[in-house]
Amino acid sequence: MLGLLLLVGCESSNIAARRQAYATDYAALSAEEKALVDKGKLRQGMSTNEVLIAWGQPEIISTMDTPNGPFVIWEYYRKRTVTTPSVRREVMVPGSSTPVAESRVFPNAAPSGSSSVVESLERTAAFQNDRLVNWSPK
């Protein structure tokens, strides 16, 4: 629960910082648009600047040509640390009547209890003619 509160607090402070950075664009929004942006929510037809204030700068921007014209896709990724629990594993070795610690048999294997950073696609926004046409998650 505390993690969720910290995440929400951090996200709202990021939105506040982006509102300041794009003050002119934010001031031009209607009250309804400001309310959505302030919550980090999107709606169809938003400009790229509105999405930028609501969600921030994407990690990847790509263009996809379609019969209906080009689409610009913004991709947002989330990084998180994954820790493998520490487990003592034993293996049977030919010629031995008792199990041997896995680390003695495979000394170069990654130790259990190690951490790694995993990056996964969290959300996307698709634009046509600088207007939001689709996004996920909605």
Side-chain angles (χ1 to χ4, degrees), residues 11-12 15 19 26 33-42 54-55 123:
E11 180 64 24
S12 63
I15 292 171
R19 277 195 319 245
Y26 184 77
E33 292 166 330
K34 286 179 183 175
L36 286 171
V37 167
D38 289 345
K39 294 176 186 171
K41 299 206 180 266
L42 306 183
W55 279 11
R123 53 191 173 183

Side-chain angles (χ1 to χ4, degrees), residues 20 23 74 86 91 113:
Q20 284 185 324
W74 288 9
S86 183
V91 294

